[in-house]
Protein backbone atom coordinates (compact mmCIF):
# COMPACT_ATOMS: atom_id res chain seq x y z
CA UNK A 1 0.00 0.00 0.00
CA UNK A 2 1.41 3.38 -1.01
CA UNK A 3 1.22 5.91 1.81
CA UNK A 4 1.49 9.71 1.90
CA UNK A 5 2.46 11.50 5.10
CA UNK A 6 1.23 15.07 5.50
CA UNK A 7 3.03 17.37 7.95
CA UNK A 8 1.91 20.76 9.21
CA UNK A 9 4.69 22.00 11.50
CA UNK A 10 4.23 24.96 13.84
CA UNK A 11 6.35 26.54 16.55
CA UNK A 12 5.10 24.25 19.33
CA UNK A 13 3.30 21.46 17.48
CA UNK A 14 3.54 19.10 14.55
CA UNK A 15 0.22 18.01 13.08
CA UNK A 16 0.22 14.98 10.81
CA UNK A 17 -2.05 12.71 8.80
CA UNK A 18 -1.39 9.43 7.02
CA UNK A 19 -3.19 8.75 3.74
CA UNK A 20 -3.20 5.64 1.61
CA UNK A 21 -3.32 6.10 -2.16
CA UNK A 22 -6.37 4.03 -3.11
CA UNK A 23 -6.35 4.98 -6.78
CA UNK A 24 -4.64 7.55 -8.98
CA UNK A 25 -6.97 10.22 -7.56
CA UNK A 26 -8.28 8.49 -4.43
CA UNK A 27 -7.01 9.04 -0.90
CA UNK A 28 -8.06 7.52 2.41
CA UNK A 29 -7.00 8.91 5.79
CA UNK A 30 -5.89 6.22 8.25
CA UNK A 31 -4.26 8.14 11.10
CA UNK A 32 -4.62 11.72 12.27
CA UNK A 33 -2.65 13.25 15.12
CA UNK A 34 -0.33 15.84 16.51
CA UNK A 35 2.60 16.24 18.83
CA UNK A 36 2.12 19.49 20.73
CA UNK A 37 3.77 21.20 23.67
CA UNK A 38 7.19 20.93 22.03
CA UNK A 39 9.88 22.10 24.46
CA UNK A 40 7.45 22.46 27.39
CA UNK A 41 4.99 19.59 27.88
CA UNK A 42 5.28 17.36 24.78
CA UNK A 43 2.28 15.14 24.14
CA UNK A 44 1.76 12.78 21.20
CA UNK A 45 -1.87 12.07 20.39
CA UNK A 46 -3.31 10.29 17.38
CA UNK A 47 -6.48 8.51 16.39
CA UNK A 48 -7.56 6.12 13.68
CA UNK A 49 -10.15 7.13 11.12
CA UNK A 50 -12.88 5.44 13.19
CA UNK A 51 -12.05 7.70 16.14
CA UNK A 52 -10.24 5.00 18.14
CA UNK A 53 -7.33 6.42 20.14
CA UNK A 54 -4.09 5.11 18.67
CA UNK A 55 -1.68 6.82 21.07
CA UNK A 56 -1.72 9.34 23.90
CA UNK A 57 1.74 9.71 25.37
CA UNK A 58 3.54 12.49 27.23
CA UNK A 59 7.28 13.20 27.31
CA UNK A 60 9.75 15.27 29.27
CA UNK A 61 10.43 18.76 27.94
CA UNK A 62 14.04 17.94 27.11
CA UNK A 63 13.07 14.73 25.28
CA UNK A 64 11.34 16.70 22.53
CA UNK A 65 12.86 20.17 22.48
CA UNK A 66 12.26 21.19 18.85
CA UNK A 67 10.49 20.38 15.60
CA UNK A 68 13.16 17.93 14.31
CA UNK A 69 12.92 15.94 17.56
CA UNK A 70 9.14 15.94 17.29
CA UNK A 71 9.29 14.63 13.73
CA UNK A 72 11.71 11.90 14.76
CA UNK A 73 9.34 10.83 17.53
CA UNK A 74 6.32 10.81 15.21
CA UNK A 75 8.26 8.90 12.56
CA UNK A 76 9.48 6.31 15.05
CA UNK A 77 5.93 5.75 16.30
CA UNK A 78 4.45 5.49 12.79
CA UNK A 79 7.18 3.11 11.65
CA UNK A 80 7.49 1.04 14.82
CA UNK A 81 3.83 0.68 15.71
CA UNK A 82 2.23 0.71 12.28
CA UNK A 83 5.01 -0.18 9.84
CA UNK A 84 4.31 2.99 7.87
CA UNK A 85 6.90 3.91 5.25
CA UNK A 86 5.67 6.85 3.17
CA UNK A 87 6.49 7.20 -0.50
CA UNK A 88 6.38 10.98 -0.03
CA UNK A 89 5.75 13.70 2.53
CA UNK A 90 3.59 16.73 1.78
CA UNK A 91 4.19 19.89 3.78
CA UNK A 92 2.20 23.02 4.42
CA UNK A 93 4.44 26.00 3.70
CA UNK A 94 2.82 29.33 4.43
CA UNK A 95 4.66 31.66 2.04
CA UNK A 96 5.62 30.80 -1.53
CA UNK A 97 6.54 34.33 -2.58
CA UNK A 98 6.21 35.46 -6.20
CA UNK A 99 8.00 32.43 -7.67
CA UNK A 100 5.92 29.51 -6.41
CA UNK A 101 2.32 29.40 -7.57
CA UNK A 102 1.75 25.66 -7.06
CA UNK A 103 3.07 22.60 -5.24
CA UNK A 104 6.72 21.79 -5.91
CA UNK A 105 9.24 19.04 -5.23
CA UNK A 106 11.67 20.35 -2.63
CA UNK A 107 15.41 20.42 -3.14
CA UNK A 108 18.23 22.57 -1.74
CA UNK A 109 17.52 25.44 -4.15
CA UNK A 110 13.83 25.52 -3.30
CA UNK A 111 14.66 25.55 0.41
CA UNK A 112 17.06 28.45 -0.09
CA UNK A 113 14.39 30.36 -2.02
CA UNK A 114 11.80 29.77 0.69
CA UNK A 115 14.19 30.94 3.40
CA UNK A 116 13.89 34.44 1.94
CA UNK A 117 10.28 34.62 3.07
CA UNK A 118 10.92 33.81 6.73
CA UNK A 119 10.70 37.52 7.69
CA UNK A 120 7.27 37.68 6.01
CA UNK A 121 5.85 34.77 8.02
CA UNK A 122 8.00 34.44 11.15
CA UNK A 123 5.38 32.45 13.08
CA UNK A 124 5.11 29.76 10.42
CA UNK A 125 7.79 29.67 7.74
CA UNK A 126 10.81 28.76 9.94
CA UNK A 127 8.96 25.77 11.40
CA UNK A 128 7.55 24.66 8.04
CA UNK A 129 11.09 24.60 6.66
CA UNK A 130 12.59 23.03 9.79
CA UNK A 131 10.39 19.98 9.25
CA UNK A 132 11.54 19.66 5.64
CA UNK A 133 15.19 20.03 6.59
CA UNK A 134 14.93 17.46 9.37
CA UNK A 135 13.52 14.85 7.01
CA UNK A 136 15.96 15.76 4.26
CA UNK A 137 18.89 15.23 6.63
CA UNK A 138 17.67 11.81 7.77
CA UNK A 139 16.17 10.59 4.49
CA UNK A 140 17.85 12.42 1.60
CA UNK A 141 16.05 10.39 -1.09
CA UNK A 142 12.58 10.79 0.35
CA UNK A 143 10.34 12.85 -1.93
CA UNK A 144 9.07 15.97 -0.19
CA UNK A 145 6.47 18.32 -1.62
CA UNK A 146 5.84 21.90 -0.49
CA UNK A 147 2.25 23.14 -0.78
CA UNK A 148 1.76 26.87 -0.32
CA UNK A 149 -0.92 28.88 1.46
CA UNK A 150 -0.32 31.69 -1.02
CA UNK A 151 -0.75 29.63 -4.21
CA UNK A 152 -4.56 29.63 -4.41
CA UNK A 153 -4.59 33.44 -4.58
CA UNK A 154 -1.98 33.83 -7.29
CA UNK A 155 -4.58 34.32 -10.03
CA UNK A 156 -5.71 37.63 -8.50
CA UNK A 157 -5.83 40.57 -10.85
CA UNK A 158 -3.11 43.21 -10.73
CA UNK A 159 -5.68 45.60 -9.27
CA UNK A 160 -6.06 43.29 -6.28
CA UNK A 161 -2.36 42.50 -5.86
CA UNK A 162 -0.68 45.91 -6.13
CA UNK A 163 0.01 48.32 -3.30
CA UNK A 164 0.01 52.03 -4.11
CA UNK A 165 3.80 52.28 -3.90
CA UNK A 166 6.44 52.55 -6.65
CA UNK A 167 6.51 49.73 -9.19
CA UNK A 168 10.04 48.67 -8.24
CA UNK A 169 8.77 47.26 -4.96
CA UNK A 170 6.21 45.09 -6.73
CA UNK A 171 9.00 43.78 -8.97
CA UNK A 172 10.89 42.81 -5.80
CA UNK A 173 7.88 40.85 -4.54
CA UNK A 174 6.13 43.41 -2.33
CA UNK A 175 2.52 42.66 -3.18
CA UNK A 176 -0.69 41.31 -1.69
CA UNK A 177 -0.40 37.51 -1.60
CA UNK A 178 -3.23 36.30 0.62
CA UNK A 179 -2.97 33.25 2.87
CA UNK A 180 -4.99 30.23 4.12
CA UNK A 181 -5.15 29.26 0.46
CA UNK A 182 -5.08 25.51 1.13
CA UNK A 183 -8.16 25.89 3.30
CA UNK A 184 -10.00 28.00 0.72
CA UNK A 185 -9.05 25.63 -2.06
CA UNK A 186 -10.48 22.73 -0.08
CA UNK A 187 -13.72 24.60 0.61
CA UNK A 188 -14.05 25.44 -3.08
CA UNK A 189 -13.63 21.73 -3.89
CA UNK A 190 -16.30 20.75 -1.31
CA UNK A 191 -19.03 23.20 -2.29
CA UNK A 192 -20.18 21.20 -5.36
CA UNK A 193 -20.94 18.32 -2.97
CA UNK A 194 -22.30 20.04 0.15
CA UNK A 195 -23.93 23.10 -1.44
CA UNK A 196 -24.07 22.71 -5.24
CA UNK A 197 -26.47 25.64 -5.53
CA UNK A 198 -23.66 28.07 -4.58
CA UNK A 199 -20.58 26.27 -5.96
CA UNK A 200 -20.46 28.49 -9.05
CA UNK A 201 -21.74 31.59 -7.32
CA UNK A 202 -20.22 34.55 -5.47
CA UNK A 203 -19.21 33.25 -2.06
CA UNK A 204 -17.34 34.77 0.86
CA UNK A 205 -15.50 32.20 2.97
CA UNK A 206 -14.41 33.09 6.50
CA UNK A 207 -11.47 31.03 7.79
CA UNK A 208 -11.71 31.88 11.47
CA UNK A 209 -9.18 30.41 13.85
CA UNK A 210 -6.16 31.61 15.80
CA UNK A 211 -5.19 32.96 12.39
CA UNK A 212 -8.16 34.49 10.59
CA UNK A 213 -8.89 35.76 7.12
CA UNK A 214 -11.63 35.86 4.50
CA UNK A 215 -11.64 35.11 0.80
CA UNK A 216 -13.95 36.12 -2.04
CA UNK A 217 -14.68 33.18 -4.34
CA UNK A 218 -16.17 33.60 -7.80
CA UNK A 219 -17.04 30.26 -9.42
CA UNK A 220 -14.62 28.57 -7.02
CA UNK A 221 -11.68 30.90 -7.76
CA UNK A 222 -10.12 33.40 -5.38
CA UNK A 223 -10.51 36.99 -6.53
CA UNK A 224 -9.69 38.86 -3.32
CA UNK A 225 -8.48 38.18 0.23
CA UNK A 226 -8.25 40.12 3.47
CA UNK A 227 -4.58 39.20 3.99
CA UNK A 228 -1.76 40.82 2.07
CA UNK A 229 2.05 40.87 1.99
CA UNK A 230 2.22 39.07 5.35
CA UNK A 231 -0.18 37.17 7.58
CA UNK A 232 -0.55 40.26 9.81
CA UNK A 233 -3.09 41.99 7.59
CA UNK A 234 -6.88 41.92 7.54
CA UNK A 235 -8.95 40.58 10.43
CA UNK A 236 -7.84 40.74 14.06
CA UNK A 237 -6.53 37.32 15.11
CA UNK A 238 -5.52 35.50 18.27
CA UNK A 239 -2.32 37.50 18.76
CA UNK A 240 -2.06 39.50 15.51
CA UNK A 241 -3.75 42.89 14.99
CA UNK A 242 -5.03 42.62 11.44
CA UNK A 243 -5.35 45.84 9.48
CA UNK A 244 -3.12 48.51 10.98
CA UNK A 245 -2.29 52.01 9.82
CA UNK A 246 1.42 51.87 8.80
CA UNK A 247 1.78 55.10 10.75
CA UNK A 248 1.29 53.12 13.95
CA UNK A 249 4.45 51.15 13.20
CA UNK A 250 6.34 54.38 12.43
CA UNK A 251 5.08 55.86 15.71
CA UNK A 252 6.22 52.84 17.72
CA UNK A 253 9.71 53.08 16.23
CA UNK A 254 10.25 56.84 16.09
CA UNK A 255 8.26 58.07 19.10
CA UNK A 256 8.28 55.07 21.45
CA UNK A 257 11.83 54.04 20.62
CA UNK A 258 10.92 50.42 19.94
CA UNK A 259 13.31 48.35 17.86
CA UNK A 260 12.04 46.56 14.73
CA UNK A 261 12.41 43.26 16.60
CA UNK A 262 10.30 44.56 19.49
CA UNK A 263 7.61 45.81 17.09
CA UNK A 264 7.58 42.45 15.34
CA UNK A 265 7.15 40.67 18.65
CA UNK A 266 4.29 43.00 19.61
CA UNK A 267 2.46 42.53 16.31
CA UNK A 268 2.84 38.76 16.16
CA UNK A 269 2.52 37.82 19.84
CA UNK A 270 0.81 40.53 21.91
CA UNK A 271 -1.88 42.05 19.68
CA UNK A 272 -5.23 40.80 18.36
CA UNK A 273 -7.73 39.28 20.78
CA UNK A 274 -4.98 38.93 23.37
CA UNK A 275 -4.14 42.62 23.20
CA UNK A 276 -7.77 43.75 23.14
CA UNK A 277 -8.89 41.55 26.03
CA UNK A 278 -5.74 41.84 28.07
CA UNK A 279 -6.19 38.22 29.12
CA UNK A 280 -6.36 35.61 26.37
CA UNK A 281 -6.17 34.90 22.66
CA UNK A 282 -8.45 31.84 23.04
CA UNK A 283 -12.03 32.46 21.90
CA UNK A 284 -13.31 29.75 24.25
CA UNK A 285 -11.78 31.52 27.26
CA UNK A 286 -13.13 34.88 26.13
CA UNK A 287 -16.63 33.48 25.67
CA UNK A 288 -16.54 31.99 29.16
CA UNK A 289 -15.27 35.22 30.74
CA UNK A 290 -17.48 37.89 32.31
CA UNK A 291 -14.82 40.57 31.93
CA UNK A 292 -15.95 43.58 29.84
CA UNK A 293 -12.72 43.54 27.83
CA UNK A 294 -13.28 39.92 26.83
CA UNK A 295 -16.69 40.81 25.44
CA UNK A 296 -15.24 43.88 23.73
CA UNK A 297 -12.57 41.77 22.01
CA UNK A 298 -15.20 39.44 20.54
CA UNK A 299 -17.44 42.34 19.51
CA UNK A 300 -14.48 44.07 17.86
CA UNK A 301 -13.64 40.88 15.97
CA UNK A 302 -17.20 40.54 14.65
CA UNK A 303 -17.27 44.25 13.76
CA UNK A 304 -14.14 43.92 11.64
CA UNK A 305 -15.46 40.79 9.94
CA UNK A 306 -18.60 42.72 9.04
CA UNK A 307 -16.58 45.57 7.55
CA UNK A 308 -14.51 43.20 5.43
CA UNK A 309 -17.62 41.42 4.17
CA UNK A 310 -18.59 44.72 2.59
CA UNK A 311 -15.18 45.02 0.91
CA UNK A 312 -15.22 41.46 -0.42
CA UNK A 313 -18.82 41.78 -1.61
CA UNK A 314 -17.75 44.85 -3.59
CA UNK A 315 -14.93 42.84 -5.20
CA UNK A 316 -17.53 40.26 -6.31
CA UNK A 317 -20.15 42.81 -7.38
CA UNK A 318 -22.48 41.16 -4.88
CA UNK A 319 -22.67 38.12 -2.64
CA UNK A 320 -24.68 34.92 -2.98
CA UNK A 321 -23.56 33.00 0.13
CA UNK A 322 -21.36 33.11 3.22
CA UNK A 323 -19.36 30.15 4.58
CA UNK A 324 -17.81 29.69 8.04
CA UNK A 325 -14.81 27.37 8.41
CA UNK A 326 -11.73 26.58 10.60
CA UNK A 327 -11.59 26.14 14.37
CA UNK A 328 -13.62 29.14 15.52
CA UNK A 329 -15.83 29.28 12.44
CA UNK A 330 -16.77 25.62 12.77
CA UNK A 331 -17.16 25.43 16.54
CA UNK A 332 -18.28 28.75 17.99
CA UNK A 333 -22.02 29.30 17.62
CA UNK A 334 -21.68 32.58 19.54
CA UNK A 335 -19.09 34.03 17.14
CA UNK A 336 -21.18 32.94 14.15
CA UNK A 337 -24.22 34.67 15.68
CA UNK A 338 -22.26 37.88 16.26
CA UNK A 339 -21.07 37.92 12.66
CA UNK A 340 -24.48 37.05 11.23
CA UNK A 341 -25.93 40.04 13.07
CA UNK A 342 -23.28 42.26 11.46
CA UNK A 343 -24.23 41.15 7.93
CA UNK A 344 -28.00 41.11 8.40
CA UNK A 345 -28.15 44.24 6.23
CA UNK A 346 -27.21 42.04 3.29
CA UNK A 347 -30.22 39.83 3.91
CA UNK A 348 -28.56 37.13 6.03
CA UNK A 349 -30.98 35.65 8.56
CA UNK A 350 -29.54 33.19 11.06
CA UNK A 351 -31.51 30.16 12.24
CA UNK A 352 -30.55 30.03 15.96
CA UNK A 353 -31.43 26.35 16.36
CA UNK A 354 -29.46 25.26 13.28
CA UNK A 355 -26.56 27.42 14.38
CA UNK A 356 -26.54 25.96 17.90
CA UNK A 357 -26.50 22.39 16.56
CA UNK A 358 -23.81 23.15 13.98
CA UNK A 359 -25.76 22.11 10.90
CA UNK A 360 -24.37 22.70 7.42
CA UNK A 361 -27.01 25.30 6.54
CA UNK A 362 -27.53 27.66 9.48
CA UNK A 363 -29.65 30.40 7.89
CA UNK A 364 -33.44 30.61 7.99
CA UNK A 365 -35.50 29.36 5.09
CA UNK A 366 -35.87 32.29 2.72
CA UNK A 367 -32.71 34.08 3.86
CA UNK A 368 -31.48 36.13 0.92
CA UNK A 369 -27.89 35.26 1.84
CA UNK A 370 -27.59 31.62 2.95
CA UNK A 371 -25.09 30.89 5.73
CA UNK A 372 -23.13 27.63 5.83
CA UNK A 373 -20.64 25.77 8.00
CA UNK A 374 -18.19 23.73 5.93
CA UNK A 375 -15.32 22.04 7.86
CA UNK A 376 -11.95 22.54 6.24
CA UNK A 377 -9.24 19.93 5.68
CA UNK A 378 -5.94 21.48 4.66
CA UNK A 379 -4.12 18.17 5.16
CA UNK A 380 -6.29 16.39 2.61
CA UNK A 381 -5.66 19.22 0.17
CA UNK A 382 -1.91 18.78 0.70
CA UNK A 383 -2.20 15.03 0.16
CA UNK A 384 -4.07 15.62 -3.11
CA UNK A 385 -1.42 18.01 -4.34
CA UNK A 386 1.36 15.62 -3.33
CA UNK A 387 -0.15 12.66 -5.18
CA UNK A 388 -0.88 14.84 -8.21
CA UNK A 389 2.68 16.10 -8.36
CA UNK A 390 4.12 12.59 -7.95
CA UNK A 391 1.95 11.32 -10.79
CA UNK A 392 2.96 14.17 -13.08
CA UNK A 393 6.64 13.59 -12.32
CA UNK A 394 6.52 9.80 -12.67
CA UNK A 395 7.52 9.24 -9.03
CA UNK A 396 4.54 7.19 -7.94
CA UNK A 397 5.37 3.77 -6.45
CA UNK A 398 9.10 4.32 -6.18
CA UNK A 399 10.65 1.24 -4.58
CA UNK A 400 14.00 3.05 -4.32
CA UNK A 401 12.36 5.61 -2.05
CA UNK A 402 10.90 2.87 0.11
CA UNK A 403 14.40 1.50 0.62
CA UNK A 404 15.87 4.95 1.21
CA UNK A 405 13.84 5.63 4.37
CA UNK A 406 13.99 2.23 6.00
Amino acid sequence: MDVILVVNAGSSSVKFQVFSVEAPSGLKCHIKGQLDGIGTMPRLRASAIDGRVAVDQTYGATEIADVPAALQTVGAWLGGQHGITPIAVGHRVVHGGPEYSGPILVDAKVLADLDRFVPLAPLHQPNNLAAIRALMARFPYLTQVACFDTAFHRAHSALADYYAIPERFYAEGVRRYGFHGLSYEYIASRLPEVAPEIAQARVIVAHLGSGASMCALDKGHSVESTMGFTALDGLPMGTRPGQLDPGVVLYLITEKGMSPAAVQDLLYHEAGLKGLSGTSNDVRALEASTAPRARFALDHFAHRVGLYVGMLAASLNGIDAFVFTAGVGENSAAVRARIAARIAWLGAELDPAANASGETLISRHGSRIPLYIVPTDEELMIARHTVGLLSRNGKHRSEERHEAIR
Side-chain angles (χ1 to χ4, degrees):
M1 178 175 66
D2 284 341
V3 169
I4 300 292
L5 174 63
V6 171
V7 172
N8 185 346
S11 58
S12 62
S13 69
V14 172
K15 298 178 183 178
F16 61 92
Q17 288 193 36
V18 175
F19 295 87
S20 62
V21 183
E22 303 291 316
S25 59
L27 288 160
K28 180 180 179 182
C29 180
H30 291 270
I31 298 173
K32 181 177 184 178
Q34 66 179 42
L35 200 163
D36 54 22
I38 295 172
T40 54
M41 298 177 63
R43 183 182 181 186
L44 173 61
R45 289 174 288 175
S47 59
I49 192 62
D50 60 5
R52 176 180 51 83
V53 175
V55 65
D56 190 342
Q57 184 174 345
T58 58
Y59 302 84
T62 58
E63 290 183 86
I64 305 177
D66 53 24
V67 167
L71 272 176
Q72 184 172 348
T73 301
V74 169
W77 177 74
L78 289 173
Q81 297 296 317
H82 298 275
I84 290 173
T85 305
I87 61 169
V89 181
H91 296 265
R92 179 196 179 201
V93 177
V94 166
H95 214 306
E99 290 94 347
Y100 298 112
S101 58
I104 189 167
L105 295 171
V106 180
D107 57 21
K109 179 185 181 304
V110 170
L111 268 178
D113 288 344
L114 297 178
D115 262 331
R116 293 161 37 216
F117 310 122
V118 166
L120 308 187
L123 288 184
H124 305 92
Q125 197 88 348
N127 301 298
N128 302 155
L129 302 186
I132 296 173
R133 284 196 170 92
L135 289 173
M136 187 176 286
R138 285 176 58 83
F139 311 114
Y141 297 105
L142 173 63
T143 297
Q144 297 193 75
V145 176
C147 301
F148 302 103
D149 261 340
T150 50
F152 186 61
H153 305 295
R154 288 299 306 282
H156 285 183
S157 70
L159 292 176
D161 275 358
Y162 267 73
Y163 288 109
I165 56 179
E167 165 72 21
R168 66 181 182 276
F169 294 106
Y170 182 87
E172 293 172 8
V174 181
R175 60 190 72 175
R176 298 186 69 250
Y177 290 99
F179 297 88
H180 294 133
L182 292 163
S183 175
Y184 294 126
E185 186 178 10
Y186 177 78
I187 297 300
S189 76
R190 286 286 290 150
L191 289 182
E193 300 174 44
V194 300
E197 64 277 11
I198 66 167
Q200 295 299 306
R202 300 165 299 179
V203 180
I204 294 175
V205 183
H207 176 106
L208 308 179
S210 179
S213 69
M214 293 194 296
C215 175
L217 296 180
D218 187 16
K219 297 181 177 64
H221 300 282
S222 172
V223 299
E224 185 60 271
S225 170
T226 58
M227 281 184 167
F229 182 52
T230 71
L232 284 172
D233 200 6
L235 303 177
M237 292 164 257
T239 61
R240 287 170 271 170
Q243 183 185 30
L244 192 70
D245 182 341
V248 173
V249 176
L250 297 176
Y251 171 81
L252 294 176
I253 294 173
T254 61
E255 301 301 319
K256 301 297 289 184
M258 293 178 68
S259 68
V263 172
Q264 177 172 287
D265 184 67
L266 171 70
L267 298 182
Y268 277 100
H269 299 286
E270 300 297 330
L273 297 180
K274 182 179 179 181
L276 286 168
S277 69
T279 56
S280 178
N281 63 311
D282 191 317
V283 167
R284 293 165 296 187
L286 297 177
E287 288 178 342
S289 174
T290 58
R293 297 300 299 181
R295 180 180 178 85
F296 177 77
L298 294 173
D299 286 341
H300 178 87
F301 178 72
H303 172 68
R304 301 302 298 181
V305 170
L307 292 179
Y308 271 106
V309 168
M311 181 196 83
L312 296 179
S315 75
L316 292 167
N317 292 314
I319 173 177
D320 300 309
F322 188 92
V323 174
F324 293 95
T325 195
V328 175
E330 295 170 26
N331 297 300
S332 176
V335 166
R336 293 194 298 265
R338 274 183 163 91
I339 292 170
R342 293 285 179 177
I343 61 175
W345 65 276
L346 284 167
E349 298 180 51
L350 187 71
D351 181 329
N355 182 45
S357 60
E359 296 179 18
T360 299
L361 180 63
I362 59 171
S363 50
R364 294 184 187 275
H365 178 73
S367 175
R368 189 164 69 85
I369 303 298
L371 306 171
Y372 294 86
I373 303 171
V374 181
T376 193
D377 194 337
E378 294 160 301
E379 286 77 18
L380 178 56
M381 202 70 243
I382 293 168
R384 289 175 179 171
H385 282 310
T386 300
V387 169
L389 193 60
L390 292 179
S391 297
R392 290 193 296 276
N393 285 272
K395 294 182 180 292
H396 196 210
R397 301 191 63 87
S398 171
E399 297 302 327
E400 289 183 2
R401 294 181 189 278
H402 278 277
E403 289 299 325
I405 61 176
R406 282 180 178 155

